[in-house]
Amino acid sequence: MATYVYDFSEGNKDLKDLLGGKGANLAEMTRLGLPVPPGFTITTEACRAYRSTGHLPPELRVEVTMAVRRLEDELGRGLGDFHDPLLVSVRSGAKFSMPGMMDTVLNIGLNDASVQGLAKFSDDERFAWDSYRRLIQMFGKTVLDVDADLFSHALDAMKADRGVAADTELSAADLHELVEQFKTIVREESGRDFPQHPREQLDLAITAVFDSWDTDRARLYRRRERIPNDLGTAVNVVSMVFGNLGADSGTGVCFTRDPSTGRSGDYGDYLPNAQGEDVVAGIRNTLTLADLERLDPTSFTELRQAMRRLETHYRDLCDIEFTIERGKLWMLQTRVGKRTAAAAFRIATQLVDEHLITLDEALERVTGAQLGKLMFPQFDARADGRTLLTTGMAASPGAAVGQLVLDSVTAQDRAAEGADVILVRRETNPDDLGGMIAAVGVLTSRGGKTSHAAVVARGMGTTCVVGAEAVEVDMAARQVRVGERVIDEGETIAIDGSTGEVFLGAVPVVPSPVVRYLEEGLEAALADLPAEDEETAELVAAVDRILTHADTVRRLRVHANADTAPDARRARTWGAQGIGLCRTEHMFLGERRVLIEHLILARTDEERQHALDALLPLQRADFVDLLREMDGLPTTIRLIDPPLHEFLPDLTALSVKVALATERGEEGPDLERDRALLAAVERMHEANPMLGLRGVRLGLVVPGLFALQIRAVAEATAQRLHEGGRPHAEIMVPLAASVMELHLVRDEAEQILAEVAAAEGVQLHVPIGAMIELPRAALTADRMAGAAAFFSFGTNDLTQTTWGFSRDDVEGAFFAEYTERGVLSVSPFETIDQRGVGRLVRIAVEEGRAARPDLGLGVCGEHGGDPESVHFFHEVGLDYVSCSPFRVPVARLEAGRAAVVTGGGDTR
């Protein structure tokens, strides 16, 4: 029989699957002897059982009873006792951190009788009634689904009636009256009285936390962070300690390093005379840890010692929640802290220099997605005409420009229409998650760097500025005021998450220093920085150090998809070790399109050959330029893939043009040409061109087309050899499903290569391989390998043909609903579908290599630059991944991570 309840003294940090992150770390801090309030954890297994059956396991109630009694015996107080009450908090805690997405209830155990006992125990009647009103407010919203605004409006009305501005200015009598109002709200809205029995409160709160795993906001967050839906959450029942007992009490959140920049030192927020939710909610602007040191030097010293001990123990940035109760420090939570991209790289190298982690571990601690964010442009600080509105706290770096929107729904609606939006709120709460995801930036007028807005935005990598007190949000007028200036919803603003600056209108951007480093090297990037900008210099050096190490340890080579010499030059500058895909059809666009028309409209072999002869020197010159840029590196050239009608005018538009010209009685060579084109378009029209006459089929059906391209590759290679180059051209056959197709193309190619080699007096070694983009090709890989020197997986089309999806149609049509309903957790065109498409890749790798041990293996679909997919390609044994030039640095980093990762670097 499963054990569903573990005391904090029974667990450790390695039990996150069972105890959740919060429970495992509370147990670890208990094990370390840090001051943790006693409590127990209900496991994720209990949550999964509840979600499976709809009922709490019967054994759970018994185990909770025993755990509560042990807690009562340890503390010498009874849950809800009339004289000396034990109060507990009920908190969620999944394996992966989901800040603010699930529910918490504080002060469980208070009722009409025990509130008197709490007043006597604390010798503070106001504190007791304040704690009771907080319980009813949180319990009503979280457990009984009462509209939270009803409680907020009642509280605001009470403050207005008493002529006070802050909650802390209300008297005990005021709060007693407010409790009665809150109980009335609960009765009227939920149809039942607020429960007075402490055990009923506890049981209902536990169930509510389990239910919060399946709220819309929690599901949305998990989709955003790719957290599986079946994990479930643990529940932590913790004896209450109180930060709202007066000036010598308080609550705070701190980090062992700055999670925004990575800077070493004490960093955090503190609120005197407050409970923990007040800091995270951001409803009051906070003090700093330096202020805490001034107010309570003893507690600060103890906290600083605990911070150092935890960072040393976890060997990473730690995020810590704490409460001070009448001068006594209590540790309420710790976890490996979320951080910005810049902080991730800086902290990783700092820890290496401090000899806390190795370079391999530093590589695990950063991600390709973070590197990608560091490559985004930044605001140009030297641009003229910038209108600074105000400056808040820099919570999450980046440069964001967009329309000002004032609520989550509007943010999502306008983003869906294609607009960039910046969500502006007094403070955010978990219900704003949809808008935060839709927005390019978030701005709040309240809250500190550990508020909900700051923590969630940092985790998502979204630009964020918080605590901009000059920003007054007027929801009724749908506008924002900053001093005398009024900005209406829909106007453009810009926010700088690195400086906290807020601007009116758009602000010009410049390339990031990391891009400068990638393009021109470390010395050039550092030389371009102001001498006083030590943080950016440290960041660029950290990126160089980790990326260089990734290049040292990775097994996968990284190639680029590039069709032109400039693209190839950029790719090589950014570290590409070859071209994995040159799409030759892109060379027939623009002014050359007319030459393809001539080929299509040719009525005789002579006309067709004339069209091919016109294309040959152009194609050869393209390949010479490409091979020159990639001298010494493999350059995989795919023969033409799309159907020829894509080079012709649209059928409907051309039909209308010809019909109108005919109706007007027009004649002449232009109309005759259009009629010939229309006949060709009609002849080539296909119901499903994606699966029609394209790829290898086109090469076999249209005489001379593939021969033209193969000859151009051969002659370009020969020319580069004559020029003293080291060309390494490879020819890739697209869309092959049968080995006989490969044999036919290969036989023709070998004959042309031999002719050119003899004519030019050179030796040509040009491997011929297959692009594996059809399920049949993957399933017959043992036979395909007999005619192919290499396989390159075209995972875009392989995904389309495996799923039966037309990418251009389905992504906008129903993917959103499929994601919402759990059919997809992420688009299979974004990250490789390992169970389906990945299974085909694995089969092709295993059977292809078994038939031909020297078979080259790579991937050239968009998945080649996706971080998660790169790890899969490493694991199945590919030789290289190929992606767009911009993603080459990301792929390099992830290929290195795939070689060293052990699973210990996940900060979700």
Side-chain angles (χ1 to χ4, degrees), residues 81-124:
D81 184 80
F82 294 175
H83 304 292
D84 187 6
L86 166 66
L87 305 182
V88 297
S89 63
V90 177
R91 300 171 180 263
S92 62
K95 176 182 179 180
F96 299 116
S97 174
M98 296 171 56
M101 296 304 114
M102 293 183 292
D103 290 331
T104 292
V105 184
L106 306 180
N107 304 331
I108 292 288
L110 275 179
N111 54 30
D112 292 348
S114 61
V115 68
Q116 305 290 345
L118 183 62
K120 183 177 179 181
F121 165 76
S122 63
D123 195 26
D124 188 338

Side-chain angles (χ1 to χ4, degrees), residues 547-809:
L547 193 55
T548 299
H549 184 64
D551 289 336
T552 301
V553 300
R554 62 184 166 91
R555 180 188 60 76
L556 280 174
R557 298 195 311 275
V558 177
H559 296 189
N561 299 342
D563 309 326
T564 66
D567 284 347
R569 187 181 312 118
R570 185 178 304 109
R572 189 162 189 169
T573 297
W574 285 22
Q577 297 165 286
I579 297 297
L581 174 63
C582 170
R583 291 158 289 212
T584 53
E585 58 270 13
H586 289 182
M587 299 173 176
F588 296 138
L589 301 177
E591 296 178 354
R592 301 182 186 181
R593 186 187 293 268
V594 66
L595 299 177
I596 293 293
E597 288 182 9
H598 292 163
L599 176 64
I600 294 169
L601 297 176
R603 294 185 178 89
T604 65
D605 291 344
E606 183 179 356
E607 289 180 355
R608 181 180 298 107
Q609 189 59 49
H610 180 74
L612 292 171
D613 289 344
L615 283 167
L616 177 60
L618 300 174
Q619 185 93 102
R620 180 176 60 236
D622 292 333
F623 294 149
V624 167
D625 290 344
L626 193 68
L627 292 171
R628 182 177 292 115
E629 291 294 342
M630 301 307 295
D631 194 52
L633 298 179
T635 306
T636 302
I637 298 168
R638 183 182 71 184
L639 302 176
I640 192 168
D641 181 36
L644 287 184
H645 76 80
E646 289 193 8
F647 297 95
L648 297 178
D650 175 72
L651 173 61
T652 302
L654 190 58
S655 298
V656 171
K657 181 181 180 183
V658 170
L660 289 175
T662 302
E663 185 178 340
R664 289 192 295 263
E666 296 179 7
E667 293 295 340
D670 288 344
L671 180 58
E672 288 304 314
R673 173 182 169 278
D674 286 344
R675 284 173 175 161
L677 272 176
L678 178 59
V681 171
E682 289 174 337
R683 185 174 68 253
M684 295 182 175
H685 179 72
E686 296 175 302
N688 189 349
M690 188 189 80
L691 299 178
L693 185 60
R694 53 170 287 217
V696 66
R697 306 158 193 169
L698 191 65
L700 294 178
V701 170
V702 179
L705 184 58
F706 273 12
L708 152 76
Q709 294 193 295
I710 294 166
R711 185 172 296 278
V713 171
E715 292 180 357
T717 303
Q719 180 175 329
R720 286 296 299 140
L721 288 170
H722 288 313
E723 293 171 353
R726 295 175 299 130
H728 187 172
E730 300 178 343
I731 292 173
M732 181 159 66
V733 182
L735 211 72
S738 163
V739 69
M740 186 52 67
E741 293 171 317
L742 284 182
H743 278 302
L744 291 171
V745 175
R746 184 185 184 93
D747 289 347
E748 182 179 28
E750 289 178 342
Q751 181 179 344
I752 294 170
L753 290 168
E755 290 174 3
V756 172
E760 296 291 336
V762 296
Q763 287 189 337
L764 294 180
H765 175 66
V766 180
I768 299 167
M771 193 168 181
I772 305 298
E773 45 193 335
L774 295 173
R776 190 181 192 280
L779 294 172
T780 59
D782 57 335
R783 291 175 57 79
M784 301 289 278
F790 63 88
F791 288 168
S792 181
F793 293 95
T795 50
N796 298 344
D797 273 354
L798 189 58
T799 298
Q800 292 196 95
T801 53
T802 300
W803 277 89
F805 286 157
S806 170
R807 178 176 184 173
D808 293 338
D809 297 322

Side-chain angles (χ1 to χ4, degrees), residues 380-438:
D380 185 357
R382 292 166 288 193
D384 295 328
R386 302 195 309 172
T387 303
L388 179 66
L389 291 173
T390 186
T391 301
M393 299 183 195
S396 183
V401 178
Q403 296 178 16
L404 183 154
V405 296
L406 296 175
D407 63 72
S408 181
V409 173
T410 305
Q412 293 174 80
D413 289 345
R414 295 201 180 175
E417 295 168 359
D420 287 337
V421 299
I422 294 178
L423 179 64
V424 181
R425 304 282 283 162
R426 290 188 184 93
E427 68 274 334
T428 63
N429 62 56
D431 293 330
D432 289 317
L433 180 64
M436 295 180 73
I437 291 175

Side-chain angles (χ1 to χ4, degrees), residues 413-491:
D413 289 345
R414 295 201 180 175
E417 295 168 359
D420 287 337
V421 299
I422 294 178
L423 179 64
V424 181
R425 304 282 283 162
R426 290 188 184 93
E427 68 274 334
T428 63
N429 62 56
D431 293 330
D432 289 317
L433 180 64
M436 295 180 73
I437 291 175
V440 297
V442 177
L443 169 65
T444 68
S445 57
R446 299 177 182 171
K449 292 186 178 181
T450 59
S451 63
H452 176 270
V455 172
V456 174
R458 265 198 305 272
M460 296 192 304
T462 299
T463 301
C464 182
V465 174
V466 299
E469 296 178 335
V471 175
E472 299 178 25
V473 179
D474 187 339
M475 292 299 296
R478 306 298 292 184
Q479 58 187 202
V480 164
R481 294 184 185 88
V482 183
E484 298 297 318
R485 193 182 294 273
V486 176
I487 305 106
D488 293 320
E489 186 171 38
E491 289 192 53

